[in-house]
Amino acid sequence: MAPEPWSWQAAWVELAAVAVLVAAYALAARRHRPSRGRIACFAGAVALLLAATVTPLATLALHYLLSAHLVQNVALAEWIPLLLVASVPPGLAASLARLRAVRFLTSPFVALPLWLTAYAAWHVPALYDAALRHHGLLHLEHLTYLVTGLLLWWPVLQERPWSLTDGARCAYLFTAFVFASPLGLLLALLPSPAYEFYEDAPRIWDLTALADQQIAGIAMAVSEAIVFFTAFTVFFVRFMAEEEGTGEMRRGP
């Protein structure tokens, strides 16, 4: 039987992962001294990770609502990786960038396709339903989202190893949004439920499986629009300021 919708999850694997993550960051911080802003980003990432995996959101995602599960997925694939990458101090980022695997995997031409592939593959109905029924596979899904999300945001938020211009970052973010957004819109527009698991799930709030799926698709699309266009706006403003400064230098006094 499904647990109560507002019960908390005994997510021991996730709690252990959070403990390891906090210990690793504390150890790295002793040498690389992150700023208060970066520490705040790390704290926000940990808070979101716990919210996505142990609070009633996780219970709703695992047993009741596709919409809750897609919010959980967006947090693991986009919000949490963004904050984790932003929390890495430059010295640590430079050290990691010396590793050949990091240089390869964080290339924009590698990181973005890997993230898009992970997102698309795990939302194939057969694989999505299988992950919900076999929690070992679900842990792999969540880990895949998190790792590819870290790769996605690395060239946007870190200077090493790629040092993209602000214009290139804008193009990268826009491309990510254009290719990722159709999934949420597709779920919102499908005329029938795509996932058997949620068709058979207990109903709450008198939501039908189709209505839940429509809410899920809209929530996913809106969330991605907010995340990517907020980041895009930041770098676009920087790009325009840089172009204006370059133009003034060329014109001279």
Side-chain angles (χ1 to χ4, degrees):
M1 292 183 62
E4 289 296 316
W6 305 114
S7 61
W8 289 55
Q9 287 286 308
W12 302 115
V13 172
E14 289 82 356
L15 288 171
V18 168
V20 170
L21 183 64
V22 170
Y25 192 78
L27 186 63
R30 294 177 62 183
R31 179 175 180 182
H32 295 286
R33 300 296 179 185
S35 65
R36 290 182 181 178
R38 292 187 187 278
I39 293 172
C41 286
F42 182 77
V46 170
L48 275 178
L49 185 54
L50 292 172
T53 56
V54 304
T55 69
L57 174 64
T59 304
L60 291 171
L62 289 173
H63 301 282
Y64 292 93
L65 297 175
L66 173 62
S67 50
H69 197 175
L70 286 193
V71 169
Q72 185 186 53
N73 288 349
V74 168
L76 290 166
E78 298 171 24
W79 307 342
I80 295 167
L82 184 156
L83 290 171
L84 285 176
V85 173
S87 76
V88 177
L92 178 57
S95 296
L96 292 172
R98 296 189 189 102
L99 300 174
R100 183 177 298 176
V102 172
R103 291 198 301 273
F104 174 73
L105 291 172
T106 59
S107 165
F109 298 104
V110 175
L112 180 55
L114 284 177
W115 180 76
L116 290 170
T117 299
Y119 230 141
W122 283 113
H123 284 87
V124 171
L127 195 54
Y128 202 95
D129 286 334
L132 286 162
R133 292 188 168 94
H134 304 282
H135 285 186
L137 194 58
L138 186 66
H139 290 145
L140 177 61
E141 175 192 334
H142 290 171
L143 180 62
T144 305
Y145 285 145
L146 190 62
V147 171
T148 58
L150 293 171
L151 299 178
L152 172 78
W153 287 110
W154 191 275
V156 176
L157 301 175
Q158 294 292 341
E159 295 298 327
R160 302 287 184 88
W162 296 103
S163 298
L164 299 182
T165 65
D166 290 331
R169 293 177 213 231
C170 288
Y172 178 80
L173 290 166
F174 184 76
T175 303
F177 174 74
V178 166
F179 281 98
S181 59
L183 180 58
L185 297 175
L186 176 64
L187 288 173
L189 296 173
L190 284 174
S192 59
Y195 302 111
E196 182 182 314
F197 181 90
Y198 288 109
E199 282 190 85
D200 299 333
R203 305 260 61 88
I204 59 174
W205 304 324
D206 295 325
L207 268 180
T208 64
L210 182 58
D212 175 35
Q213 180 172 287
Q214 291 167 340
I215 293 170
I218 293 169
M220 185 178 184
V222 170
S223 171
E224 287 177 342
I226 292 171
V227 171
F228 283 105
F229 275 94
T230 298
F232 175 89
T233 300
V234 169
F235 289 106
F236 184 74
V237 169
R238 284 177 39 171
F239 170 71
M240 293 304 294
E242 182 180 292
E243 288 296 301
E244 184 178 344
T246 302
E248 289 179 356
M249 288 180 63
R250 287 174 180 170
R251 287 192 297 269

